[in-house]
Amino acid sequence: MSKIILIGFMGCGKSTVGKRLSYAFRKPFLDTDKIIEKKANMTISELFEEKGEAYFRDMETACIKELMKESGEYIIAVGGGLVLRSENRRLLKELGHVIYLRALPDTIYERLQKDSTRPLLQGDNPKEKIRTMMSERAAVYEEAAQFIVDVDGKEFEEIVKEIGEKIL
């Protein structure tokens, strides 16, 4: 099976699906955001605020390079913007099966409207910001992915089953 990497916009369900895949396939689950927070000893929001987005993106690339050194099979959820760098897209494809969890902007808004920990969504009109960012990123997610799984209106068990069918 190798490694399964979940990509997609923030709030699409990467961490939740990743944990359920981990349980279903009995493979360890890793979340690059959590790895980075632990290494930096601060939250993603604090990293953005204190060090800036470019610094955070550098940490994401370093994290993927470290994961490439790990042997074994893992389920890995990556931050929503990690695939924006072409180097990261290339590295992810070398790392394992890249699955794009695709959601509609309205779904993302419903899930994130009360979440104040997302630095890129702070400010006026987060719904429009989600639409704009998702539109700008869609082609990059599709380019990075080996498989696309639409998550809208599906239970997590359905998503896990669909991913299993695609990679096994």
Side-chain angles (χ1 to χ4, degrees), residues 16-34:
T16 303
V17 170
K19 289 172 188 170
R20 292 182 185 223
L21 281 169
S22 172
Y23 179 78
F25 294 135
R26 293 174 171 64
K27 305 295 177 204
F29 172 70
L30 302 171
D31 183 319
T32 59
D33 282 351
K34 299 298 179 205

Side-chain angles (χ1 to χ4, degrees), residues 28-79:
F29 172 70
L30 302 171
D31 183 319
T32 59
D33 282 351
K34 299 298 179 205
I35 293 168
I36 290 167
E37 285 180 336
K38 186 175 181 180
K39 188 171 190 162
N41 201 28
M42 61 178 73
T43 67
I44 301 300
S45 294
E46 291 167 340
L47 269 170
F48 263 73
E49 188 176 317
E50 293 181 26
K51 306 279 188 176
E53 184 175 357
Y55 181 86
F56 172 70
R57 299 295 176 206
D58 289 343
M59 288 191 76
E60 286 182 317
T61 301
C63 184
I64 292 299
K65 288 178 178 177
E66 285 299 313
L67 290 174
M68 292 187 77
K69 297 174 186 175
E70 296 288 325
S71 61
E73 298 178 346
Y74 293 94
I75 311 296
I76 304 167
V78 303

Side-chain angles (χ1 to χ4, degrees), residues 111-128:
R111 292 179 180 179
L112 299 182
Q113 63 182 334
K114 294 182 172 94
D115 188 342
S116 62
T117 66
R118 311 286 180 151
L120 292 176
L121 292 184
Q122 302 314 305
D124 295 335
N125 203 346
K127 193 171 194 176
E128 185 55 36

